Amino acid sequence: EVQLVQSGAEVKKPGESMKISCKGSGYSFTTYWIGWVRQMPGKGLEWMGIIYPGDSDTRYSPSFQGQVTISADKSISTAYLQWSSLKASDTAMYYCARRGSGSHDNWFDPWGQGTLVTVSS
Amino acid sequence: SYVLTQPPSVSVAPGKTARITCGGNNIGNKNVHWYQQKPGQAPVLVISYDTDRPSGIPERFSGSNSGNTATLTISRVEAGDEADYYCQVWDSSRDHPLFGGGTKLTVL
């Protein structure tokens, strides 16, 4: 079974750093792009960026460029999303999702279960 | 920049047909994908490439796309279909995915 399992919920203070993870299983992790999506409380889905674990090619949404860092460790089939200095406005649910295999397969399936991040003083 | 427009909410009685639209300039020339997100759960792909149902998705779910509107149709709606639904395309000008604002389906 293809699966993405994300790390658990986090509660942080403004200014702290954080790294959340997304572990893939049941497929060749290095040959599928992994994307990250933010969902703020009560709001819709926002694409943040995407990484190809095979060579770590990474693309960011202009809205998130410079605000987060996406990385991957293919030896343990895990992608990461990290912040160097959190803000209260980073409070949200974060999802990872696998992009389709072909160059034009621009859909996402499956999705991880989500990581809830709360940033509060 | 490209914009996808969805109605905030759609209501339908059980057993009836729900139609959720996704508007965009010449969206008929793009591939549209649809996701279902039930409360407290992660999104699930229900339609890809305008009309394709992934394995495990009921035949009651179907899609169409033409002109400036893509449509997700749910036939014989059940209480369990109550969820938020999002359309998604690839914004080729920015080379990244773009989501619609989402539509909350309420089953009366």
Side-chain angles (χ1 to χ4, degrees):
Chain A
E1 178 194 8
V2 175
Q3 207 172 4
L4 297 175
V5 178
Q6 298 185 229
S7 49
E10 301 268 10
V11 179
K12 294 287 189 181
K13 294 185 180 339
E16 291 185 333
S17 63
M18 183 180 67
K19 193 174 191 178
I20 62 175
S21 66
C22 169
K23 183 173 176 60
S25 62
Y27 73 99
S28 175
F29 185 75
T30 56
T31 58
Y32 287 79
W33 292 81
I34 293 284
W36 286 95
V37 175
R38 182 176 79 174
Q39 187 169 39
M40 299 180 77
K43 301 299 184 182
L45 306 175
E46 300 174 88
W47 182 75
M48 302 176 71
I50 198 165
I51 187 166
Y52 189 75
D55 61 7
S56 292
D57 185 6
T58 307
R59 321 277 173 84
Y60 293 93
S61 163
S63 299
F64 292 93
Q65 178 85 48
Q67 308 304 308
V68 297
T69 300
I70 294 170
S71 61
D73 184 341
K74 60 186 179 183
S75 70
I76 54 171
S77 301
T78 301
Y80 301 97
L81 178 65
Q82 69 181 85
W83 293 258
S84 60
S85 181
L86 287 159
K87 302 185 281 286
S89 58
D90 293 318
T91 294
M93 181 72 81
Y94 293 88
Y95 294 101
C96 63
R98 190 188 76 165
R99 181 179 159 179
S101 59
S103 60
H104 297 291
D105 290 336
N106 296 317
W107 37 262
F108 292 89
D109 180 59
W111 293 57
Q113 83 277 20
T115 296
L116 181 62
V117 173
T118 303
V119 183
S120 174
S121 54
Chain B
S1 61
Y2 199 77
V3 176
L4 295 175
T5 301
Q6 296 184 238
S9 63
V10 167
S11 298
V12 63
K16 300 299 187 183
T17 298
R19 293 179 179 83
I20 298 171
T21 59
C22 177
N25 187 36
N26 291 320
I27 196 172
N29 293 333
K30 295 182 178 292
N31 294 315
V32 179
H33 317 298
W34 290 92
Y35 302 88
Q36 175 194 65
Q37 186 179 31
K38 295 184 178 180
Q41 297 184 22
V44 172
L45 180 71
V46 292
I47 294 287
S48 63
Y49 286 113
D50 302 338
T51 61
D52 294 349
R53 267 180 299 104
S55 174
I57 301 301
E59 292 183 10
R60 301 184 298 103
F61 288 80
S62 63
S64 62
N65 185 17
S66 178
N68 293 318
T69 305
T71 303
L72 173 69
T73 301
I74 309 171
S75 305
R76 302 180 300 284
V77 166
E78 303 172 357
D81 298 329
E82 194 161 273
D84 294 324
Y85 291 85
Y86 295 90
C87 58
Q88 179 241 312
V89 300
W90 191 264
D91 185 344
S92 53
S93 66
R94 295 187 173 188
D95 196 25
H96 69 66
L98 177 66
F99 292 98
T103 298
K104 180 177 181 59
L105 176 67
T106 299
V107 180
L108 301 171

